[in-house]
Amino acid sequence: MREMKNIILTGMPGSGKSTVGVILAKAVNRAFVDTDLIIQQMTGRLLQDIIDKDGIEQFMKTEEEAICAANCSNSVISTGGSAVYSERAMKKLKASGVCVFLDVPVEELKRRISNMSSRGIVLNGTFEDTYEERLPLYRKYADITVNCEGLEIEETVSEIIRRLGERKDV
């Protein structure tokens, strides 16, 4: 039996990677992997604790190590929003599957996130600054970009499945 490629979800915090990922994994009969949970299991700590006590650079190094150490196939992988800062991690992920960018406007993201200070978000300046900085990286690594503006979770999942169905490599 051939190894099936992964479906890798990228996007800003609040874009729905984890929520969409769980439902997508069920819909396409694949395992669900959340790289933020891998980091927490690997370190025994919450993401915000790592950022607060060890700093952003150490957090991003830990995130890269967690992603590069993970061996997944036939999975839906939800990445942390800052994973795109690591070229090494993104190359590893892309080599294992198709990268789907969940594109959500910054104002909608801010409405969705109520726990900004405790959620373990790597920010460079304001949330808007971070969004502007990351957007080109999300686009660079995306094989598929899904405009999620105004879409419900189920609609986003359906759109991902439809777009994956147009590809021969999944």
Side-chain angles (χ1 to χ4, degrees):
M1 191 172 115
R2 74 179 183 88
E3 186 175 291
M4 290 185 68
K5 289 198 169 191
N6 295 315
I7 302 166
I8 301 110
L9 303 179
T10 66
M12 285 290 287
S15 63
K17 298 178 302 289
S18 296
T19 308
V20 167
V22 168
I23 295 166
L24 177 63
K26 287 179 184 176
V28 297
N29 193 27
R30 296 184 189 215
F32 175 72
V33 176
D34 188 320
T35 63
D36 284 347
L37 295 178
I38 292 173
I39 294 166
Q40 290 183 181
Q41 289 164 350
M42 194 173 91
T43 63
R45 298 166 65 194
L46 295 174
L47 304 180
Q48 191 63 51
D49 182 60
I50 298 168
I51 292 168
D52 291 344
K53 294 194 171 100
D54 302 349
I56 288 173
E57 290 302 316
Q58 182 58 45
F59 172 81
M60 288 175 30
K61 186 173 180 227
T62 303
E63 181 175 48
E64 180 180 83
E65 288 169 12
I67 290 170
C68 290
N71 250 337
C72 306
S73 66
N74 197 30
S75 299
V76 173
I77 302 171
S78 169
T79 62
S82 55
V84 291
Y85 288 126
S86 168
E87 188 171 345
R88 181 174 158 237
M90 291 308 298
K91 281 184 175 175
K92 166 125 186 335
L93 288 167
K94 281 186 62 82
S96 76
V98 176
C99 190
V100 179
F101 167 40
L102 301 182
D103 192 3
V104 177
V106 70
E107 291 308 318
E108 191 170 330
L109 292 168
K110 285 169 53 182
R111 274 195 306 276
R112 293 180 182 185
I113 301 172
S114 58
N115 54 343
M116 189 85 70
S117 62
S118 63
R119 187 163 166 168
I121 299 174
V122 172
L123 293 176
N124 285 341
T126 66
F127 189 79
E128 290 87 346
D129 292 340
T130 304
Y131 175 86
E132 292 299 325
E133 180 180 83
R134 291 183 188 176
L135 201 53
L137 295 171
Y138 292 131
R139 288 181 177 147
K140 169 184 173 183
Y141 292 114
D143 297 305
I144 297 171
T145 298
V146 176
N147 180 349
C148 301
E149 186 172 10
L151 295 184
E152 297 294 325
I153 292 164
E154 295 288 347
E155 293 171 314
T156 301
V157 170
S158 294
E159 179 62 11
I160 293 168
I161 292 169
R162 185 187 72 75
R163 299 280 299 278
L164 289 168
E166 295 171 354
R167 301 178 63 93
K168 305 280 186 258
D169 59 348
V170 184

